[in-house]
Amino acid sequence: MTIAIIVHGGAWDIPAEDHQAHMDGCRAAMMAGYDVLRNGGTALDAIERAIVMMEDDPIFDAGIGSHLNRAGVVQLDAGVMDGSTLQVGALAAVERLQNPIRVARHLLTSAHNMMVGPGADAYAAAHGFELCDPKKLVVEREVERWKLAKKETPTAGDEFGEIVRGAKPGTVGAVALDRMGNIVAGTSTGGTLYKPVGRVGDSPLPGCGYFADNALGGVSTTGHGESIIRIQLARVAADFCSRLYAPAAAQAAISMLGDRVGGLGGLIVLDHAGRVGFAHNTPHMAHAYLTEAMNAPVVGIE
Ligand code: GLY
């Protein structure tokens, strides 16, 4: 069986001065995941390694460097799905985990699918995961963005105003296919800039922020979560894989996001045969991929 991995670092209007850092971060994470696969590792290990690297890279809106919510606090969401078992693990609105994808992975084999808020942080601690000081997740760039958002948002009740809709959802995600033919997809995010406390987007929801089924393929999405949830973008894209190659499935799904709900975002797709595809209707989406059939990795932002 062939091996393949694709990662994304968020779909939005990425400032020119940040393009290289986004592409470098995607490339490094993708190559780390590919090394896992090349050495006979599982797709689950590969996507965890890739996503942890992006959570640790402050350029992305995941883990360290995430957007701040209205209270000036980072609240993280993450999810993972195993295409061989259809098991799901997800966390939402956690504040004390630098790498929520690790705990999401742990939940795959637990009795539960999703944990939220302080209960999820406590669950993680009880299962041996280190809790971090929430301040460790905050970077100066995001404090400046938060101050601007606070100034520009007309009222505290303007929950879906332009500042939120036009926020910078630099969510990260990865999908991998391993030698055993298993596909795994995962996504991690700090959500949207200046989101209301407790707001949760698409990223931790299976079928919305991610989806995997060995019979179809795997998908990770990014963009305006409220729109993505309405059409269950990841599940829609995976369903398209039953009759389209991954690039066409990705394009069909992003067209549906725009046409049906006017949503902005992007997605990566890896179909059951190991073909990769991606699409976005935002100006940019950082991405990187490599399959055994390719001579060199592809890294891009357009
Ligand atoms: N797509 C990330 C979010 O809306 O939270």
Side-chain angles (χ1 to χ4, degrees):
M1 196 74 191
T2 190
I3 56 173
I5 184 167
I6 180 165
V7 310
H8 71 77
W12 55 290
D13 191 0
I14 302 173
E17 64 272 21
D18 289 342
H19 283 192
Q20 198 57 49
H22 276 78
M23 289 191 289
D24 290 349
C26 283
R27 183 195 187 94
M30 185 278 293
M31 288 307 303
Y34 192 80
D35 278 348
V36 171
L37 299 172
R38 190 165 41 197
N39 292 325
T42 64
L44 188 53
D45 283 338
I47 69 104
E48 181 183 8
R49 182 147 171 207
I51 292 175
V52 163
M53 281 183 68
M54 290 191 282
E55 287 173 337
D56 290 347
D57 185 338
I59 196 70
F60 299 116
D61 177 28
I64 294 176
S66 289
H67 295 316
L68 306 181
N69 67 13
R70 289 186 186 210
V73 171
V74 167
Q75 277 192 331
L76 301 173
D77 309 324
V80 59
M81 185 163 178
D82 182 335
S84 63
T85 59
L86 305 186
Q87 279 174 326
V88 168
L91 293 179
V94 293
E95 298 181 0
R96 302 196 57 199
L97 293 168
Q98 181 174 330
N99 298 115
I101 197 70
R102 288 194 197 280
V103 184
R105 180 200 174 143
H106 172 86
L107 283 166
L108 278 179
T109 50
S110 79
H112 312 292
N113 286 351
M114 183 179 287
M115 305 287 293
V116 304
D121 286 323
Y123 177 92
H127 287 82
F129 293 92
E130 193 183 336
L131 297 184
C132 71
D133 182 338
K135 290 196 187 75
K136 188 179 179 195
L137 306 174
V138 179
V139 299
E140 190 51 35
R141 176 198 69 220
E142 293 304 322
V143 174
E144 292 309 313
R145 282 180 175 156
W146 181 84
K147 285 181 188 162
L148 196 62
K150 188 173 163 69
K151 205 164 82 185
E152 290 182 358
T153 301
T155 68
D158 179 28
E159 309 217 331
F160 301 103
E162 276 311 302
I163 193 69
V164 175
R165 286 182 60 80
K168 299 162 174 56
T171 298
V172 306
V175 188
L177 169 66
D178 63 28
R179 202 62 86 195
M180 288 70 75
N182 291 329
I183 297 174
V184 177
T187 300
S188 182
T189 191
T192 46
L193 176 62
Y194 209 58
K195 63 188 179 183
V197 174
R199 176 266 186 193
V200 174
D202 58 304
S203 300
L205 304 180
C208 300
Y210 59 97
F211 183 78
D213 180 342
N214 286 358
L216 295 169
V219 181
S220 171
T221 71
T222 168
H224 184 241
E226 284 72 9
S227 305
I228 291 170
I229 290 169
R230 287 164 67 197
I231 67 155
Q232 296 160 25
L233 182 63
R235 174 73 211 203
V236 159
D239 281 344
F240 278 129
C241 287
S242 65
R243 54 195 157 91
L244 299 173
Y245 293 164
Q251 196 52 58
I254 208 69
S255 296
M256 187 182 279
L257 179 69
D259 294 347
R260 292 299 306 275
V261 294
L264 292 175
L267 74 167
I268 53 174
V269 178
L270 181 52
D271 70 27
H272 51 89
R275 293 169 295 226
V276 295
F278 66 91
H280 53 100
N281 60 6
T282 51
H284 311 108
M285 183 178 76
H287 60 274
Y289 59 92
L290 182 58
T291 78
E292 221 163 19
M294 294 164 56
N295 293 324
V298 168
V299 183
I301 201 154
E302 299 299 339

